[in-house]
């Protein structure tokens, strides 16, 4: 189901958990950004009427995730604050064409890939948290994994409905290949979307989508 071109090194999660406060703060920002992106698509493409209700629901769900992360942060004494934005999404979106209709196809598929990558990383975090004995946060992340997998499928389905399955079959692997290059160029720091990719034969658990 997922077509990510590269998998994350499973040791990424252990490294990320060493900076749990920063990770939670960044996660809160990412959920907020996911909501904003869904809203942007809603406003930018009113001619695709069928997109309006599901994008609205998706944006609302991302804001619920945002609020849930804020509650986790509050319970752990972590303040919400501005952060230096990561470069992942911006670099990924450089692959998007600048004229329509290609731009919409690319934006939908980039959104799908971001959801798919988030899903993979949240699942790795849930596993690492479980091993570290933090069942509360592990359970929280396991719950989010299912939502992000659904969001991946939703964005791919939006693209198929507008552009057809063949167009998606051609373009999605190209965007995934670009995403792999973007990740490889980002330092392996404690970021939700940093580098640190698995070797080809490192059988990392894939996100169930
Ligand atoms: Fe989310
Ligand atoms: Fe999402």
């Amino acid at each position: 189901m997922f077509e990510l071109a590269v998998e994350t090194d499973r040791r990424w999660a252990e490294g990320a958990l060493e900076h749990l406060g920063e990770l939670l703060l960044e996660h809160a920002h990412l959920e907020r950004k996911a909501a904003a992106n869904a809203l942007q698509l809603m406003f930018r493409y009113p001619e695709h009427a069928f997109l309006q209700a599901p994008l609205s629901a998706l944006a609302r769900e991302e804001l619920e995730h945002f609020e849930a992360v804020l509650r986790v942060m509050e319970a752990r004494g972590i303040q919400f604050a501005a952060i230096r934005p990561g470069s992942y999404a911006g670099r990924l979106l450089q692959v998007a064409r600048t004229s329509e209709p290609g731009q919409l196809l690319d934006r939908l598929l980039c959104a799908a890939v971001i959801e798919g990558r988030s899903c993979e990383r949240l699942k790795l975090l849930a596993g690492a948290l479980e091993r570290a004995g933090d069942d509360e946060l592990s359970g929280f992340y396991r719950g989010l994994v299912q939502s992000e997998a659904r969001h991946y499928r939703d964005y791919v389905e939006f693209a198929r409905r507008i552009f057809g399955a063949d167009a998606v079959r051609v373009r999605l692997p190209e965007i995934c290949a670009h995403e792999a290059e973007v990740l490889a160029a980002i330092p392996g720091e404690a970021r939700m979307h940093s580098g640190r990719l698995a070797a080809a034969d490192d059988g990392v658990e894939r996100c169930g989508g």
Side-chain angles (χ1 to χ4, degrees):
M1 175 73 207
F2 274 62
E3 301 196 30
L4 300 176
V6 284
E7 295 180 345
T8 298
D9 183 330
R10 65 172 68 222
R11 286 163 298 185
W12 165 83
E14 265 77 18
L17 289 187
E18 289 172 16
H19 308 272
L20 184 59
E22 287 112 300
L23 193 79
L24 282 166
L25 176 58
E26 189 200 8
H27 183 191
H29 278 269
L30 291 174
E31 296 290 359
R32 212 172 59 141
K33 198 163 171 201
N37 188 50
L39 286 173
Q40 265 178 19
L41 289 167
M42 257 178 89
F43 278 84
R44 174 92 180 251
Y45 299 100
E47 65 273 31
H48 297 293
F50 85 93
L51 283 176
Q52 294 292 304
L55 281 175
S56 170
L58 205 153
R60 192 168 59 242
E61 194 178 359
E62 301 292 19
L63 285 178
E64 284 168 3
H65 293 170
F66 169 64
E67 292 165 38
V69 179
L70 285 185
R71 285 193 293 275
V72 169
M73 288 168 63
E74 192 179 356
R76 291 170 184 242
I78 302 159
Q79 279 257 321
F80 185 76
I83 58 167
R84 176 176 56 88
S87 57
Y88 171 76
R91 290 197 208 186
L92 178 62
L93 279 163
Q94 283 173 1
V95 78
R97 284 163 284 182
T98 52
S99 58
E100 301 294 357
Q103 186 175 35
L104 174 57
L105 175 61
D106 294 350
R107 286 189 64 176
L108 290 171
L109 295 181
C110 282
V113 168
I114 293 171
E115 297 286 348
R117 182 62 68 191
S118 300
C119 178
E120 182 217 34
R121 298 239 161 155
L122 291 177
K123 191 167 186 177
L124 290 175
L125 282 175
L129 284 160
E130 199 174 295
R131 289 191 291 280
D134 192 338
D135 292 340
E136 189 189 5
L137 198 52
S138 172
F140 173 65
Y141 276 141
R142 288 224 183 272
L144 291 184
V145 163
Q146 298 309 318
S147 301
E148 307 308 351
R150 180 161 35 77
H151 295 165
Y152 169 91
R153 292 193 296 270
D154 285 347
Y155 277 117
V156 171
E157 193 49 42
F158 298 155
R160 283 199 188 110
R161 193 158 159 194
I162 297 170
F163 298 98
D166 287 347
V168 171
R169 204 173 297 121
V170 170
R171 189 60 175 154
L172 185 54
E174 293 172 357
I175 291 184
C176 288
H178 172 68
E179 194 250 4
E181 285 173 19
V182 166
L183 274 181
I186 296 176
E189 56 187 359
R191 283 272 188 173
M192 195 67 86
H193 293 130
S194 61
R196 189 138 199 186
L197 301 170
D201 59 351
D202 193 359
V204 172
E205 182 180 19
R206 285 218 135 174
C207 198

